[in-house]
Amino acid sequence: MEREKRTLRLAAPRGFCAGVDRAIQIVERTLEKYGAPVYVRHEIVHNRFVVESLEQKGAVFVDELADIPKGYPVIFSAHGVAKSVPAEAENRQMFYIDATCPLVSKVHREAERHERDNHEIILIGHRGHPEVIGTMGQLAEGEITLIETAEEARNFRQKQPGKNLAYLTQTTLSVDETRDIVDILRERFPGIEAPKKEDICYATTNRQAAVKILADRCDGLLVIGAPNSSNSMRLVEVAEKAGCPNVALVQRASDIPWDCLKSAKTVGITAGASAPETLVEEVVAAFSERYDVTVEEIVTNEEQVVFKMPKILASEAAE
């Protein structure tokens, strides 16, 4: 019996960004250099497959520094941490390596600069996200005001009217939604200072742009990523707003909603910045088991960004 045909369109770029790739390499190289176990505070990146793979190599993921026995290396996640975290590690005489994405560190430095310049600071981001907690924790409590929605931007009131305002953003936000919030702030406060270089990272921007194009060429779309991954959830939202029917977030091939995709002849596939390519291959293989599949890659951008390893691991990276 002849199998039904399906066309799979893969977004490019998709999957790992340079910051995620660097963070994973930091854990792997720390294990190589110091041996297991190596402790990691929080998930190194928001992907269970990645976390479980590193656990099998000897990484141990913990919630707090107090959960780590003395004498073992500790790594801070790619999302960044409040200043209180390395301070606590030093008080506990811990050896730590910071895997914060350099583009997140850039936002941290911007916050410090604005404080030095006596600016009142707004951070556009999602409450409770580790990156937001880390960025707000660069300064004393209350120094940064978090704005999550356009409504909050409309209702924002300065703590010190007349003081110069500046805004920062989380690196993994929806480009379009953030633009709407920024437009409101600029209309209300024409002198507000923007980041010198866009805070939303290149990988987030590129993956959202690719999904917009893919959504227009597919009648179903899968985003491979974790529900606690901000950039993956934004890809789902972007695809839905672009008008693509049958959009779903899946962590693995076992999560594919086959019933919802029954009528979809052309299915788009992308992956969040913390999802490895092996999960994309797994999803393609699952389709190939059910259908006669044609795979096309829709390339919208070429990424060649690479971040340096921390100095203490640089020699291993060179080898």
Side-chain angles (χ1 to χ4, degrees):
M1 183 173 137
E2 191 175 350
R3 297 198 299 172
E4 287 186 52
K5 296 182 184 295
R6 290 291 184 274
T7 299
L8 302 183
R9 290 189 168 144
L10 308 186
R14 62 180 178 272
F16 279 179
C17 62
V20 164
D21 195 44
R22 174 180 178 269
I24 293 167
Q25 284 190 56
I26 286 173
V27 178
E28 291 174 338
R29 295 190 183 281
T30 303
L31 282 163
E32 289 169 12
K33 184 169 184 176
Y34 299 101
V38 164
Y39 287 81
V40 185
R41 183 185 178 276
H42 297 174
E43 290 186 341
I44 188 70
V45 297
H46 283 157
N47 187 277
R48 284 307 306 166
F49 180 87
V50 170
V51 168
E52 288 168 6
S53 297
L54 292 172
E55 284 176 334
Q56 290 170 11
K57 295 177 181 179
V60 179
F61 293 84
V62 299
D63 289 330
E64 300 301 340
L65 297 182
D67 301 327
I68 302 172
K70 285 187 177 179
Y72 294 102
V74 57
I75 297 170
F76 302 149
S77 81
H79 308 104
V81 295
K83 280 190 172 175
S84 59
V85 176
E88 181 188 350
E90 287 168 11
N91 287 338
R92 292 176 177 273
Q93 298 183 313
M94 288 176 158
F95 165 58
Y96 65 87
I97 298 174
D98 189 354
T100 299
C101 172
L103 298 180
V104 174
S105 296
K106 164 189 165 290
V107 180
H108 292 181
R109 303 294 79 79
E110 287 175 339
E112 293 172 338
R113 177 176 64 83
H114 288 310
E115 183 185 42
R116 287 195 301 271
D117 292 344
N118 198 32
H119 292 160
E120 184 170 341
I121 307 167
I122 291 169
L123 173 63
I124 302 170
H126 293 291
R127 283 178 178 78
H129 189 277
E131 183 186 327
V132 166
I133 293 169
T135 298
M136 295 187 74
Q138 297 307 300
L139 306 181
E141 189 172 351
E143 288 298 311
I144 299 176
T145 300
L146 181 65
I147 287 181
E148 191 169 18
T149 65
E151 183 181 2
E152 289 179 7
R154 280 189 286 269
N155 294 330
F156 169 75
R157 294 289 178 269
Q158 277 194 263
K159 295 171 185 173
Q160 299 180 46
K163 191 173 184 179
N164 288 338
L165 267 176
Y167 75 86
L168 311 167
T169 80
Q170 184 180 334
T171 63
T172 55
L173 298 178
S174 160
V175 173
D176 294 336
E177 282 190 10
T178 305
R179 187 183 299 118
D180 292 344
I181 292 171
V182 169
D183 286 347
I184 291 166
L185 291 172
R186 282 179 171 156
E187 185 178 341
R188 295 189 59 213
F189 307 99
I192 192 168
E193 186 173 328
K196 289 183 177 177
K197 190 176 179 183
E198 181 66 62
D199 282 344
I200 296 178
C201 84
Y202 77 94
T204 297
T205 302
N206 289 348
R207 279 150 190 72
Q208 289 179 21
V211 160
K212 283 182 183 178
I213 291 169
L214 207 61
D216 195 44
R217 302 182 186 182
C218 300
D219 41 19
L221 193 143
L222 298 179
V223 176
I224 302 168
N228 63 336
S229 164
S230 175
N231 72 82
S232 297
M233 295 305 295
R234 302 296 80 75
L235 291 176
V236 173
E237 293 170 2
V238 167
E240 289 173 340
K241 286 181 180 176
C244 185
N246 306 313
V247 180
L249 179 79
V250 297
Q251 297 194 67
R252 301 289 301 266
S254 55
D255 299 330
I256 297 172
W258 296 110
D259 287 346
C260 295
L261 295 172
K262 203 175 282 185
S263 61
K265 302 298 182 185
T266 304
V267 179
I269 298 174
T270 189
S274 48
E277 182 65 13
T278 186
L279 297 183
V280 176
E281 294 167 357
E282 182 184 278
V283 167
V284 171
F287 272 91
S288 298
E289 287 176 7
R290 287 175 173 249
Y291 302 107
D292 179 4
V293 165
T294 300
V295 179
E296 302 172 357
E297 190 168 57
I298 308 298
V299 181
T300 57
N301 209 312
E302 300 278 353
E303 292 180 348
Q304 297 178 341
V305 178
V306 177
F307 292 133
K308 291 181 181 178
M309 298 291 282
K311 285 183 181 177
I312 198 162
L313 300 174
S315 59
E316 283 77 6
E319 290 167 14

